[in-house]
Amino acid sequence: ASQRHFVASANFHGGAEVVNYPWDTWYTLHADDNWWQYVSREYADTVHIHAPGTYMDGFVNGITNGAAWYIVHGGRQDYMNYSHHCREVTIEISNTKLLPASQLVAHWDYNWRSLILFMKQARYGIHGIISDQVTGNPIAAKVFINGHDIDNSECYSSANNGDYHRLLKAGAYTL
């Protein structure tokens, strides 16, 4: 059976203007908190170039760790990060909970470049193919960074093709 592997995703909401990164459930920082801060900062800084001066300027100039904002139990963001070993962020695009249709084009214009940059980040980090040394067949395997990974932050290769992607800030790591 085919197994789905997610690399990066974003869910969008209204109600605030902020990039909210994991974790929402507890105060422990994600193993990749430095990566999360980097991509969240890149998102918000790019929005600031293309939006009105007061847009997404709250919290830490447009970004926040979820639990530092408020605790959420059972949220999608933490479910995807913890249970599916992917990197999912929540982007709140408007202080208005239900944005009127007349404002959608403007908010798209503020955010699309940042979203492209977030998707571009899914091309970086560590990636490769894991295969059996004897047969060359793909192997489903756990990719774990010693002394780094905690709280299900590791990733897994696909049983179908051995492919894995581990989003990660540049540095030296032992797999």
Side-chain angles (χ1 to χ4, degrees):
S2 171
Q3 192 176 18
R4 293 182 66 181
H5 292 272
F6 301 95
V7 177
S9 60
N11 68 78
F12 289 83
H13 295 268
E17 295 172 357
V18 67
V19 179
N20 170 24
Y21 57 90
W23 297 105
D24 289 335
T25 306
W26 55 75
Y27 294 107
T28 302
L29 296 178
H30 192 282
D32 297 315
D33 187 68
N34 62 355
W35 181 84
W36 278 117
Q37 288 189 41
Y38 175 81
V39 297
S40 297
R41 178 85 276 130
E42 180 179 56
Y43 190 102
D45 288 351
T46 302
V47 160
H48 294 151
I49 295 167
H50 302 283
T54 59
Y55 184 72
M56 208 177 271
D57 67 349
F59 299 89
V60 182
N61 201 24
I63 71 171
T64 190
N65 169 273
W69 182 13
Y70 66 93
I71 296 289
V72 172
H73 295 289
R76 177 186 164 88
Q77 176 175 283
D78 283 3
Y79 170 75
M80 293 302 289
N81 284 285
Y82 190 86
S83 298
H84 288 281
H85 309 281
C86 72
R87 302 296 175 260
E88 180 161 307
V89 66
T90 301
I91 301 169
E92 303 264 352
I93 64 164
S94 171
N95 287 326
T96 304
K97 188 66 172 167
L98 200 55
L99 197 60
S102 63
Q103 294 180 24
L104 289 175
V105 172
H107 281 77
W108 170 251
D109 193 49
Y110 305 158
N111 284 276
W112 72 266
R113 295 163 194 88
S114 298
L115 183 57
I116 296 292
L117 289 172
F118 180 73
M119 290 188 298
K120 186 176 178 182
Q121 288 298 329
R123 306 271 304 145
Y124 301 129
I126 300 167
H127 54 89
I129 305 291
I130 300 176
S131 58
D132 183 286
Q133 186 175 12
V134 175
T135 67
N137 291 332
I139 297 175
K142 178 179 181 177
V143 179
F144 185 84
I145 301 170
N146 294 326
H148 179 84
D149 280 321
I150 56 171
D151 300 325
N152 282 13
S153 60
E154 72 275 1
C155 72
Y156 292 84
S157 65
S158 165
N160 293 336
N161 59 18
D163 183 51
Y164 73 93
H165 293 265
R166 175 65 162 82
L167 304 182
L168 196 60
K169 191 150 190 217
Y173 302 93
T174 301
L175 302 177

